[in-house]
Amino acid sequence: MEDKYSKEPNYTPAILLLEDGTVYHGKAAGKIGTTTGEICFNTGMTGYQEIFTDPSYYGQLLVTTNAHIGNYGTKNSEVESGSIKIAGLICKNFTTQYSRQQADDDIQDYFEHESLVGISDVDTRAIVRHIRHKGAMNAIISSEILDIAALKKQLAQVPSMDGLELASKVSTTEAYLIGDPNAQYRVAVLDFGTKRNILECMAQRGCYLKVFPAKTRLPELQEFNPDGFFFSNGPGDPAAMDYAISTAKEILQQDKPIFGICLGHQLLALALDIPTYKMFNGHRGINHPVKNLLTGHCEITSQNHGFAVDPKAITANERVEITHVNLNDDTIEGIRVKDKKAFSVQYHPEAAPGPHDARYLFDDFVKMMQ
């Protein structure tokens, strides 16, 4: 039997090539292979497995600013979806030796089982500084092709995240139920790439949920006889989701409570004719300060988004009130519709593994349904 605490490190060379031609050399992490996507970085210090399995990261290569990845192993229960959703991992130290007795596996075996390609032993600080200055761009990781010219040719075929519809690729294919059938409230969930902990936060508050595929139309949602509607998080460009914007507009006419998170927040804004835009870098991490303008309190929040809603359009829209703003860059983090029971936030109040400063928003949603 192999001793997981003495596994030999992987010395296979790997290359990270950015769209602007910048090259980084490192070592293979996970499966030997090639992968592409938009490069982004996350500033969280823990919760790497929850990040890997967050459907909002679909199509993205993740740079972790925390120096050690894999040091506490992986655990089967600490996932936000059924599989890894990031397109690839870029990290400093890829640690197969883990210290947590409760772990089910080491990260190398986990990545191989999930067929994830990554690169380690690169200067992640330099990479983050580079993309903070240059902005979001596509990149390619390979531990099987070391020819730069060949990698450039392959990378040139990767589409931009701007204008890319991805939610339907990670949404459930069939509706399913969560919670107690005898619960007080029934919530219809439009799944654009929802995280499991979001659903659990609502189920814990007396909600019986039916989770529907992303392209489900209103008549089918109404068959569940919901007391409220939830628009989930998810990947891609919200402006490319005509089907979801149309359904959101129809739901707004029902005069029933609506709650949106992240992509769901952007879709609510688009349904109110408030445009979205692609951010220079986006916000990803579990340490972003947000001010609640209704209470004056500051929340430390979990975030993962590369698009945002237009602040000028919100200010000009008499139906909408800004409820939350980001204290780092003043971007819009929350809105509510003045003449409807509808609100949304750009960040993640379920925040697995934490912080839990914003979980009161689930309570606010339940109160709306009373």
Side-chain angles (χ1 to χ4, degrees), residues 45-66:
M45 297 294 287
T46 187
Y48 52 73
Q49 192 175 359
E50 291 89 339
I51 294 168
F52 299 159
T53 54
D54 179 353
S56 295
Y57 279 109
Y58 184 81
Q60 292 183 307
L61 303 179
L62 178 70
V63 183
T64 54
T65 59
N66 188 27

Side-chain angles (χ1 to χ4, degrees), residues 203-223:
Q204 290 165 3
R205 287 163 173 78
C207 297
Y208 184 47
L209 314 170
K210 188 166 186 179
V211 185
F212 293 89
K215 294 187 177 182
T216 306
R217 300 311 300 263
L218 179 60
E220 186 176 345
L221 299 174
Q222 288 177 316
E223 290 176 5

Side-chain angles (χ1 to χ4, degrees), residues 152-212:
K152 284 183 178 180
K153 186 176 181 180
Q154 186 170 340
L155 180 56
Q157 305 302 313
V158 181
S160 168
M161 187 68 72
D162 198 359
L164 208 57
E165 193 282 313
L166 296 176
S168 61
K169 297 182 182 297
V170 297
S171 175
T172 182
T173 56
E174 295 183 1
Y176 61 93
L177 298 164
I178 286 183
D180 181 358
N182 299 314
Q184 188 171 0
Y185 308 107
R186 298 166 74 89
V187 177
V189 176
L190 272 170
D191 175 18
F192 304 119
T194 190
K195 295 172 64 180
R196 288 180 177 175
N197 268 288
I198 291 176
L199 305 178
E200 290 175 8
C201 280
M202 287 189 280
Q204 290 165 3
R205 287 163 173 78
C207 297
Y208 184 47
L209 314 170
K210 188 166 186 179
V211 185
F212 293 89

Side-chain angles (χ1 to χ4, degrees), residues 270-341:
L270 287 163
L272 295 161
D273 299 319
I274 297 167
T276 56
Y277 65 94
K278 194 173 191 308
M279 303 176 74
F280 190 66
N281 271 303
H283 297 151
R284 297 173 184 89
I286 55 175
N287 47 11
H288 291 254
V290 167
K291 184 175 182 179
N292 183 328
L293 300 181
L294 304 179
T295 65
H297 295 160
C298 177
E299 305 162 12
I300 302 303
T301 67
S302 172
Q303 306 219 2
N304 174 19
H305 61 101
F307 292 82
V309 297
D310 186 340
K312 291 183 179 179
I314 293 177
T315 304
N317 192 317
E318 295 182 353
R319 293 185 63 194
V320 182
E321 177 183 12
I322 300 171
T323 58
H324 298 76
V325 294
N326 189 294
L327 292 177
N328 285 334
D329 60 9
D330 294 323
T331 51
I332 306 303
E333 294 280 3
I335 60 173
R336 76 174 185 90
V337 186
K338 295 177 182 178
D339 59 347
K340 300 284 183 180
K341 292 182 178 180

